[in-house]
mmCIF file of all heavy atoms in Angstrom:
data_model
loop_
_atom_site.group_PDB
_atom_site.id
_atom_site.type_symbol
_atom_site.label_atom_id
_atom_site.label_comp_id
_atom_site.label_asym_id
_atom_site.label_seq_id
_atom_site.Cartn_x
_atom_site.Cartn_y
_atom_site.Cartn_z
ATOM 1 N N THR A 1 188.663 142.758 332.535
ATOM 2 C CA THR A 1 189.819 142.924 333.419
ATOM 3 C C THR A 1 190.963 143.604 332.681
ATOM 4 O O THR A 1 191.671 144.453 333.230
ATOM 5 C CB THR A 1 190.286 141.571 333.974
ATOM 6 O OG1 THR A 1 189.169 140.875 334.537
ATOM 7 C CG2 THR A 1 191.335 141.758 335.057
ATOM 8 N N LEU A 2 191.134 143.235 331.404
ATOM 9 C CA LEU A 2 192.148 143.890 330.573
ATOM 10 C C LEU A 2 191.800 145.361 330.383
ATOM 11 O O LEU A 2 192.690 146.226 330.452
ATOM 12 C CB LEU A 2 192.246 143.201 329.211
ATOM 13 C CG LEU A 2 193.073 143.922 328.139
ATOM 14 C CD1 LEU A 2 194.515 144.106 328.607
ATOM 15 C CD2 LEU A 2 193.024 143.173 326.813
ATOM 16 N N THR A 3 190.528 145.657 330.163
ATOM 17 C CA THR A 3 190.086 147.045 329.974
ATOM 18 C C THR A 3 190.430 147.889 331.195
ATOM 19 O O THR A 3 190.941 149.008 331.071
ATOM 20 C CB THR A 3 188.573 147.101 329.711
ATOM 21 O OG1 THR A 3 188.277 146.332 328.532
ATOM 22 C CG2 THR A 3 188.102 148.532 329.501
ATOM 23 N N GLU A 4 190.160 147.328 332.384
ATOM 24 C CA GLU A 4 190.483 148.050 333.620
ATOM 25 C C GLU A 4 191.990 148.228 333.775
ATOM 26 O O GLU A 4 192.475 149.299 334.148
ATOM 27 C CB GLU A 4 189.927 147.286 334.829
ATOM 28 C CG GLU A 4 188.428 147.454 335.024
ATOM 29 C CD GLU A 4 188.080 147.683 336.483
ATOM 30 O OE1 GLU A 4 188.942 147.470 337.354
ATOM 31 O OE2 GLU A 4 186.947 148.107 336.745
ATOM 32 N N HIS A 5 192.736 147.176 333.465
ATOM 33 C CA HIS A 5 194.190 147.231 333.575
ATOM 34 C C HIS A 5 194.788 148.305 332.672
ATOM 35 O O HIS A 5 195.724 149.014 333.063
ATOM 36 C CB HIS A 5 194.793 145.871 333.220
ATOM 37 C CG HIS A 5 196.259 145.924 332.924
ATOM 38 N ND1 HIS A 5 197.233 145.954 333.910
ATOM 39 C CD2 HIS A 5 196.935 145.996 331.734
ATOM 40 C CE1 HIS A 5 198.425 146.017 333.352
ATOM 41 N NE2 HIS A 5 198.284 146.052 332.032
ATOM 42 N N SER A 6 194.240 148.446 331.460
ATOM 43 C CA SER A 6 194.766 149.402 330.477
ATOM 44 C C SER A 6 194.755 150.831 330.991
ATOM 45 O O SER A 6 195.555 151.667 330.556
ATOM 46 C CB SER A 6 193.965 149.309 329.174
ATOM 47 O OG SER A 6 194.075 148.019 328.604
ATOM 48 N N ARG A 7 193.861 151.110 331.932
ATOM 49 C CA ARG A 7 193.763 152.475 332.476
ATOM 50 C C ARG A 7 195.009 152.856 333.265
ATOM 51 O O ARG A 7 195.287 154.036 333.474
ATOM 52 C CB ARG A 7 192.507 152.593 333.342
ATOM 53 C CG ARG A 7 191.213 152.416 332.553
ATOM 54 C CD ARG A 7 189.987 152.594 333.429
ATOM 55 N NE ARG A 7 188.782 152.411 332.641
ATOM 56 C CZ ARG A 7 187.785 151.578 332.950
ATOM 57 N NH1 ARG A 7 187.853 150.866 334.060
ATOM 58 N NH2 ARG A 7 186.727 151.468 332.176
ATOM 59 N N ILE A 8 195.763 151.868 333.741
ATOM 60 C CA ILE A 8 197.007 152.142 334.459
ATOM 61 C C ILE A 8 197.986 152.859 333.535
ATOM 62 O O ILE A 8 198.686 153.787 333.928
ATOM 63 C CB ILE A 8 197.638 150.830 334.979
ATOM 64 C CG1 ILE A 8 196.741 150.189 336.030
ATOM 65 C CG2 ILE A 8 199.049 151.068 335.528
ATOM 66 C CD1 ILE A 8 197.200 148.790 336.457
ATOM 67 N N HIS A 9 198.015 152.444 332.282
ATOM 68 C CA HIS A 9 198.963 152.996 331.315
ATOM 69 C C HIS A 9 198.550 154.377 330.797
ATOM 70 O O HIS A 9 199.397 155.225 330.545
ATOM 71 C CB HIS A 9 199.140 152.033 330.142
ATOM 72 C CG HIS A 9 199.647 150.680 330.548
ATOM 73 N ND1 HIS A 9 200.872 150.487 331.138
ATOM 74 C CD2 HIS A 9 199.074 149.450 330.453
ATOM 75 C CE1 HIS A 9 201.036 149.195 331.395
ATOM 76 N NE2 HIS A 9 199.968 148.541 330.978
ATOM 77 N N ILE A 10 197.246 154.565 330.666
ATOM 78 C CA ILE A 10 196.796 155.855 330.112
ATOM 79 C C ILE A 10 196.389 156.846 331.203
ATOM 80 O O ILE A 10 196.129 158.013 330.924
ATOM 81 C CB ILE A 10 195.628 155.652 329.126
ATOM 82 C CG1 ILE A 10 194.408 155.037 329.825
ATOM 83 C CG2 ILE A 10 196.059 154.799 327.949
ATOM 84 C CD1 ILE A 10 193.189 154.892 328.910
ATOM 85 N N GLY A 11 196.335 156.369 332.462
ATOM 86 C CA GLY A 11 196.002 157.261 333.574
ATOM 87 C C GLY A 11 194.527 157.598 333.666
ATOM 88 O O GLY A 11 194.133 158.508 334.394
ATOM 89 N N GLU A 12 193.708 156.860 332.947
ATOM 90 C CA GLU A 12 192.264 157.137 332.949
ATOM 91 C C GLU A 12 191.639 156.698 334.271
ATOM 92 O O GLU A 12 191.873 155.596 334.748
ATOM 93 C CB GLU A 12 191.599 156.390 331.789
ATOM 94 C CG GLU A 12 190.086 156.609 331.711
ATOM 95 C CD GLU A 12 189.430 155.721 330.673
ATOM 96 O OE1 GLU A 12 190.148 154.986 329.969
ATOM 97 O OE2 GLU A 12 188.197 155.752 330.569
ATOM 98 N N LYS A 13 190.850 157.565 334.847
ATOM 99 C CA LYS A 13 190.113 157.250 336.075
ATOM 100 C C LYS A 13 188.624 157.427 335.797
ATOM 101 O O LYS A 13 188.101 158.539 335.791
ATOM 102 C CB LYS A 13 190.573 158.165 337.218
ATOM 103 C CG LYS A 13 192.030 157.942 337.630
ATOM 104 C CD LYS A 13 192.433 158.814 338.802
ATOM 105 C CE LYS A 13 193.873 158.541 339.243
ATOM 106 N NZ LYS A 13 194.269 159.361 340.406
ATOM 107 N N SER A 14 187.950 156.304 335.573
ATOM 108 C CA SER A 14 186.567 156.346 335.091
ATOM 109 C C SER A 14 185.517 156.238 336.186
ATOM 110 O O SER A 14 184.325 156.364 335.924
ATOM 111 C CB SER A 14 186.345 155.211 334.077
ATOM 112 O OG SER A 14 187.239 155.335 332.992
ATOM 113 N N TYR A 15 185.942 155.964 337.412
ATOM 114 C CA TYR A 15 184.987 155.776 338.505
ATOM 115 C C TYR A 15 185.032 156.971 339.447
ATOM 116 O O TYR A 15 186.056 157.232 340.073
ATOM 117 C CB TYR A 15 185.280 154.467 339.241
ATOM 118 C CG TYR A 15 185.207 153.265 338.328
ATOM 119 C CD1 TYR A 15 186.370 152.696 337.801
ATOM 120 C CD2 TYR A 15 183.980 152.723 337.960
ATOM 121 C CE1 TYR A 15 186.308 151.603 336.946
ATOM 122 C CE2 TYR A 15 183.900 151.633 337.105
ATOM 123 C CZ TYR A 15 185.063 151.085 336.596
ATOM 124 O OH TYR A 15 184.997 150.009 335.744
ATOM 125 N N PHE A 16 183.888 157.677 339.555
ATOM 126 C CA PHE A 16 183.824 158.916 340.328
ATOM 127 C C PHE A 16 182.916 158.773 341.543
ATOM 128 O O PHE A 16 181.827 158.188 341.468
ATOM 129 C CB PHE A 16 183.307 160.065 339.455
ATOM 130 C CG PHE A 16 184.248 160.465 338.355
ATOM 131 C CD1 PHE A 16 184.192 159.847 337.117
ATOM 132 C CD2 PHE A 16 185.199 161.462 338.565
ATOM 133 C CE1 PHE A 16 185.070 160.205 336.102
ATOM 134 C CE2 PHE A 16 186.075 161.828 337.559
ATOM 135 C CZ PHE A 16 186.010 161.198 336.321
ATOM 136 N N CYS A 17 183.375 159.311 342.655
ATOM 137 C CA CYS A 17 182.566 159.339 343.873
ATOM 138 C C CYS A 17 181.468 160.390 343.718
ATOM 139 O O CYS A 17 181.755 161.543 343.378
ATOM 140 C CB CYS A 17 183.450 159.662 345.075
ATOM 141 S SG CYS A 17 182.520 159.878 346.611
ATOM 142 N N ASN A 18 180.229 160.019 343.964
ATOM 143 C CA ASN A 18 179.117 160.963 343.797
ATOM 144 C C ASN A 18 178.970 161.928 344.973
ATOM 145 O O ASN A 18 178.102 162.796 344.967
ATOM 146 C CB ASN A 18 177.799 160.218 343.564
ATOM 147 C CG ASN A 18 177.470 159.246 344.687
ATOM 148 O OD1 ASN A 18 178.147 159.207 345.718
ATOM 149 N ND2 ASN A 18 176.443 158.450 344.486
ATOM 150 N N VAL A 19 179.853 161.777 345.976
ATOM 151 C CA VAL A 19 179.828 162.693 347.123
ATOM 152 C C VAL A 19 180.911 163.761 346.976
ATOM 153 O O VAL A 19 180.636 164.961 347.034
ATOM 154 C CB VAL A 19 180.027 161.928 348.453
ATOM 155 C CG1 VAL A 19 180.044 162.905 349.637
ATOM 156 C CG2 VAL A 19 178.934 160.879 348.635
ATOM 157 N N CYS A 20 182.150 163.324 346.748
ATOM 158 C CA CYS A 20 183.255 164.290 346.677
ATOM 159 C C CYS A 20 183.876 164.396 345.289
ATOM 160 O O CYS A 20 184.806 165.159 345.074
ATOM 161 C CB CYS A 20 184.336 163.942 347.692
ATOM 162 S SG CYS A 20 185.204 162.386 347.315
ATOM 163 N N ASN A 21 183.370 163.598 344.369
ATOM 164 C CA ASN A 21 183.812 163.621 342.969
ATOM 165 C C ASN A 21 185.256 163.154 342.776
ATOM 166 O O ASN A 21 185.858 163.373 341.715
ATOM 167 C CB ASN A 21 183.652 165.027 342.363
ATOM 168 C CG ASN A 21 183.403 164.977 340.865
ATOM 169 O OD1 ASN A 21 182.725 164.078 340.370
ATOM 170 N ND2 ASN A 21 183.952 165.917 340.134
ATOM 171 N N LYS A 22 185.837 162.488 343.765
ATOM 172 C CA LYS A 22 187.172 161.939 343.609
ATOM 173 C C LYS A 22 187.124 160.788 342.601
ATOM 174 O O LYS A 22 186.157 160.019 342.580
ATOM 175 C CB LYS A 22 187.696 161.426 344.963
ATOM 176 C CG LYS A 22 189.161 161.016 344.927
ATOM 177 C CD LYS A 22 189.677 160.663 346.325
ATOM 178 C CE LYS A 22 191.154 160.263 346.268
ATOM 179 N NZ LYS A 22 191.699 159.943 347.611
ATOM 180 N N ALA A 23 188.165 160.684 341.766
ATOM 181 C CA ALA A 23 188.184 159.683 340.704
ATOM 182 C C ALA A 23 189.122 158.528 341.038
ATOM 183 O O ALA A 23 190.146 158.711 341.704
ATOM 184 C CB ALA A 23 188.602 160.327 339.392
ATOM 185 N N PHE A 24 188.753 157.325 340.524
ATOM 186 C CA PHE A 24 189.534 156.123 340.792
ATOM 187 C C PHE A 24 189.720 155.305 339.519
ATOM 188 O O PHE A 24 188.882 155.309 338.622
ATOM 189 C CB PHE A 24 188.843 155.269 341.858
ATOM 190 C CG PHE A 24 188.701 155.968 343.179
ATOM 191 C CD1 PHE A 24 187.607 156.790 343.422
ATOM 192 C CD2 PHE A 24 189.671 155.832 344.165
ATOM 193 C CE1 PHE A 24 187.478 157.458 344.636
ATOM 194 C CE2 PHE A 24 189.547 156.498 345.380
ATOM 195 C CZ PHE A 24 188.455 157.310 345.617
ATOM 196 N N LEU A 25 190.826 154.567 339.479
ATOM 197 C CA LEU A 25 191.113 153.690 338.337
ATOM 198 C C LEU A 25 190.185 152.478 338.320
ATOM 199 O O LEU A 25 189.753 152.032 337.267
ATOM 200 C CB LEU A 25 192.563 153.186 338.399
ATOM 201 C CG LEU A 25 193.678 154.120 337.943
ATOM 202 C CD1 LEU A 25 195.033 153.504 338.273
ATOM 203 C CD2 LEU A 25 193.575 154.375 336.444
ATOM 204 N N HIS A 26 189.900 151.948 339.515
ATOM 205 C CA HIS A 26 189.155 150.695 339.606
ATOM 206 C C HIS A 26 187.842 150.879 340.374
ATOM 207 O O HIS A 26 187.755 151.678 341.304
ATOM 208 C CB HIS A 26 189.989 149.618 340.298
ATOM 209 C CG HIS A 26 191.322 149.390 339.650
ATOM 210 N ND1 HIS A 26 191.461 148.810 338.415
ATOM 211 C CD2 HIS A 26 192.583 149.694 340.063
ATOM 212 C CE1 HIS A 26 192.739 148.745 338.088
ATOM 213 N NE2 HIS A 26 193.445 149.284 339.071
ATOM 214 N N LYS A 27 186.877 150.070 340.007
ATOM 215 C CA LYS A 27 185.564 150.136 340.643
ATOM 216 C C LYS A 27 185.648 149.746 342.119
ATOM 217 O O LYS A 27 184.988 150.345 342.977
ATOM 218 C CB LYS A 27 184.593 149.215 339.907
ATOM 219 C CG LYS A 27 183.142 149.362 340.359
ATOM 220 C CD LYS A 27 182.221 148.497 339.514
ATOM 221 C CE LYS A 27 180.766 148.687 339.947
ATOM 222 N NZ LYS A 27 179.844 147.873 339.112
ATOM 223 N N PHE A 28 186.477 148.705 342.421
ATOM 224 C CA PHE A 28 186.568 148.276 343.815
ATOM 225 C C PHE A 28 187.196 149.357 344.694
ATOM 226 O O PHE A 28 186.871 149.481 345.875
ATOM 227 C CB PHE A 28 187.344 146.955 343.933
ATOM 228 C CG PHE A 28 188.809 147.031 343.605
ATOM 229 C CD1 PHE A 28 189.741 147.440 344.557
ATOM 230 C CD2 PHE A 28 189.268 146.691 342.338
ATOM 231 C CE1 PHE A 28 191.086 147.499 344.268
ATOM 232 C CE2 PHE A 28 190.622 146.753 342.045
ATOM 233 C CZ PHE A 28 191.530 147.157 342.999
ATOM 234 N N SER A 29 188.100 150.181 344.104
ATOM 235 C CA SER A 29 188.709 151.282 344.870
ATOM 236 C C SER A 29 187.659 152.325 345.231
ATOM 237 O O SER A 29 187.663 152.877 346.339
ATOM 238 C CB SER A 29 189.825 151.935 344.050
ATOM 239 O OG SER A 29 190.854 151.022 343.770
ATOM 240 N N LEU A 30 186.746 152.586 344.301
ATOM 241 C CA LEU A 30 185.656 153.520 344.565
ATOM 242 C C LEU A 30 184.741 152.972 345.658
ATOM 243 O O LEU A 30 184.312 153.708 346.563
ATOM 244 C CB LEU A 30 184.863 153.778 343.281
ATOM 245 C CG LEU A 30 183.556 154.567 343.447
ATOM 246 C CD1 LEU A 30 183.838 155.960 344.030
ATOM 247 C CD2 LEU A 30 182.834 154.692 342.105
ATOM 248 N N THR A 31 184.451 151.666 345.585
ATOM 249 C CA THR A 31 183.582 151.030 346.583
ATOM 250 C C THR A 31 184.162 151.178 347.987
ATOM 251 O O THR A 31 183.448 151.539 348.938
ATOM 252 C CB THR A 31 183.396 149.540 346.256
ATOM 253 O OG1 THR A 31 182.839 149.406 344.942
ATOM 254 C CG2 THR A 31 182.474 148.873 347.260
ATOM 255 N N TYR A 32 185.451 150.938 348.129
ATOM 256 C CA TYR A 32 186.109 151.086 349.431
ATOM 257 C C TYR A 32 186.114 152.546 349.880
ATOM 258 O O TYR A 32 185.893 152.849 351.052
ATOM 259 C CB TYR A 32 187.547 150.562 349.364
ATOM 260 C CG TYR A 32 187.652 149.065 349.188
ATOM 261 C CD1 TYR A 32 188.792 148.501 348.607
ATOM 262 C CD2 TYR A 32 186.625 148.215 349.592
ATOM 263 C CE1 TYR A 32 188.887 147.115 348.434
ATOM 264 C CE2 TYR A 32 186.715 146.847 349.425
ATOM 265 C CZ TYR A 32 187.849 146.303 348.851
ATOM 266 O OH TYR A 32 187.948 144.949 348.681
ATOM 267 N N HIS A 33 186.371 153.450 348.936
ATOM 268 C CA HIS A 33 186.425 154.873 349.256
ATOM 269 C C HIS A 33 185.100 155.378 349.810
ATOM 270 O O HIS A 33 185.079 156.205 350.739
ATOM 271 C CB HIS A 33 186.796 155.674 348.007
ATOM 272 C CG HIS A 33 186.475 157.136 348.130
ATOM 273 N ND1 HIS A 33 187.280 158.030 348.824
ATOM 274 C CD2 HIS A 33 185.413 157.874 347.668
ATOM 275 C CE1 HIS A 33 186.744 159.227 348.771
ATOM 276 N NE2 HIS A 33 185.613 159.169 348.080
ATOM 277 N N LYS A 34 184.010 154.916 349.287
ATOM 278 C CA LYS A 34 182.686 155.404 349.696
ATOM 279 C C LYS A 34 182.426 155.181 351.181
ATOM 280 O O LYS A 34 181.621 155.886 351.794
ATOM 281 C CB LYS A 34 181.596 154.733 348.863
ATOM 282 C CG LYS A 34 181.460 155.308 347.459
ATOM 283 C CD LYS A 34 180.300 154.660 346.707
ATOM 284 C CE LYS A 34 180.082 155.332 345.356
ATOM 285 N NZ LYS A 34 178.962 154.713 344.604
ATOM 286 N N ARG A 35 183.132 154.218 351.772
ATOM 287 C CA ARG A 35 182.950 153.934 353.195
ATOM 288 C C ARG A 35 183.467 155.081 354.064
ATOM 289 O O ARG A 35 183.102 155.197 355.230
ATOM 290 C CB ARG A 35 183.645 152.618 353.554
ATOM 291 C CG ARG A 35 183.021 151.421 352.840
ATOM 292 C CD ARG A 35 183.600 150.093 353.319
ATOM 293 N NE ARG A 35 182.843 148.998 352.746
ATOM 294 C CZ ARG A 35 183.324 148.134 351.864
ATOM 295 N NH1 ARG A 35 184.571 148.249 351.453
ATOM 296 N NH2 ARG A 35 182.570 147.155 351.399
ATOM 297 N N VAL A 36 184.298 155.923 353.475
ATOM 298 C CA VAL A 36 184.758 157.121 354.187
ATOM 299 C C VAL A 36 183.562 158.028 354.458
ATOM 300 O O VAL A 36 183.456 158.644 355.523
ATOM 301 C CB VAL A 36 185.817 157.880 353.354
ATOM 302 C CG1 VAL A 36 186.154 159.220 354.000
ATOM 303 C CG2 VAL A 36 187.068 157.030 353.186
ATOM 304 N N HIS A 37 182.654 158.079 353.503
ATOM 305 C CA HIS A 37 181.475 158.949 353.634
ATOM 306 C C HIS A 37 180.343 158.290 354.420
ATOM 307 O O HIS A 37 179.626 158.961 355.161
ATOM 308 C CB HIS A 37 180.963 159.332 352.247
ATOM 309 C CG HIS A 37 181.981 160.032 351.395
ATOM 310 N ND1 HIS A 37 182.521 161.267 351.719
ATOM 311 C CD2 HIS A 37 182.573 159.674 350.223
ATOM 312 C CE1 HIS A 37 183.396 161.642 350.793
ATOM 313 N NE2 HIS A 37 183.445 160.686 349.870
ATOM 314 N N THR A 38 180.188 156.968 354.283
ATOM 315 C CA THR A 38 179.066 156.287 354.938
ATOM 316 C C THR A 38 179.375 155.925 356.386
ATOM 317 O O THR A 38 178.453 155.710 357.188
ATOM 318 C CB THR A 38 178.710 154.992 354.186
ATOM 319 O OG1 THR A 38 179.836 154.096 354.243
ATOM 320 C CG2 THR A 38 178.354 155.297 352.737
ATOM 321 N N GLY A 39 180.697 155.854 356.730
ATOM 322 C CA GLY A 39 181.061 155.469 358.090
ATOM 323 C C GLY A 39 181.104 153.970 358.275
ATOM 324 O O GLY A 39 181.346 153.478 359.388
ATOM 325 N N GLU A 40 180.860 153.217 357.205
ATOM 326 C CA GLU A 40 180.892 151.762 357.298
ATOM 327 C C GLU A 40 182.298 151.299 357.663
ATOM 328 O O GLU A 40 183.283 151.792 357.108
ATOM 329 C CB GLU A 40 180.473 151.150 355.956
ATOM 330 C CG GLU A 40 180.442 149.632 355.977
ATOM 331 C CD GLU A 40 180.066 149.058 354.618
ATOM 332 O OE1 GLU A 40 179.729 149.849 353.714
ATOM 333 O OE2 GLU A 40 180.146 147.826 354.463
ATOM 334 N N LYS A 41 182.392 150.356 358.587
ATOM 335 C CA LYS A 41 183.676 149.875 359.053
ATOM 336 C C LYS A 41 183.955 148.519 358.429
ATOM 337 O O LYS A 41 183.173 147.582 358.564
ATOM 338 C CB LYS A 41 183.705 149.809 360.581
ATOM 339 C CG LYS A 41 183.572 151.205 361.192
ATOM 340 C CD LYS A 41 183.573 151.189 362.693
ATOM 341 C CE LYS A 41 183.458 152.611 363.254
ATOM 342 N NZ LYS A 41 183.435 152.630 364.723
ATOM 343 N N LEU A 42 185.117 148.448 357.764
ATOM 344 C CA LEU A 42 185.406 147.297 356.926
ATOM 345 C C LEU A 42 186.053 146.140 357.664
ATOM 346 O O LEU A 42 185.640 145.010 357.533
ATOM 347 C CB LEU A 42 186.307 147.725 355.764
ATOM 348 C CG LEU A 42 186.685 146.650 354.748
ATOM 349 C CD1 LEU A 42 185.458 146.102 354.060
ATOM 350 C CD2 LEU A 42 187.675 147.209 353.737
ATOM 351 N N PHE A 43 187.106 146.421 358.450
ATOM 352 C CA PHE A 43 187.875 145.340 359.041
ATOM 353 C C PHE A 43 187.636 145.243 360.549
ATOM 354 O O PHE A 43 187.595 146.244 361.254
ATOM 355 C CB PHE A 43 189.381 145.544 358.796
ATOM 356 C CG PHE A 43 189.720 145.590 357.325
ATOM 357 C CD1 PHE A 43 190.168 146.770 356.742
ATOM 358 C CD2 PHE A 43 189.571 144.461 356.542
ATOM 359 C CE1 PHE A 43 190.470 146.817 355.399
ATOM 360 C CE2 PHE A 43 189.874 144.497 355.202
ATOM 361 C CZ PHE A 43 190.327 145.681 354.617
#
């Protein structure tokens, strides 16, 4: 969790979407983003 948090300070985005190659700081952000491509409805 600390490792993920540290990316906020250095601006590192290690999680990439394999469809549009958009990068994210956190893994959960990438997971939510992928629903844009799959059409999955969250709420």
Side-chain angles (χ1 to χ4, degrees):
T1 309
L2 169 60
T3 301
E4 283 223 347
H5 164 80
S6 298
R7 296 182 180 127
I8 295 172
H9 301 298
I10 62 177
E12 180 188 356
K13 295 183 178 181
S14 301
Y15 301 100
F16 293 89
C17 174
N18 57 7
V19 178
C20 67
N21 209 36
K22 188 174 180 179
F24 298 86
L25 281 172
H26 305 291
K27 189 176 182 179
F28 68 84
S29 298
L30 171 61
T31 302
Y32 292 155
H33 163 79
K34 283 184 174 180
R35 296 187 172 113
V36 172
H37 302 296
T38 63
E40 182 182 354
K41 296 179 179 179
L42 182 62
F43 300 112

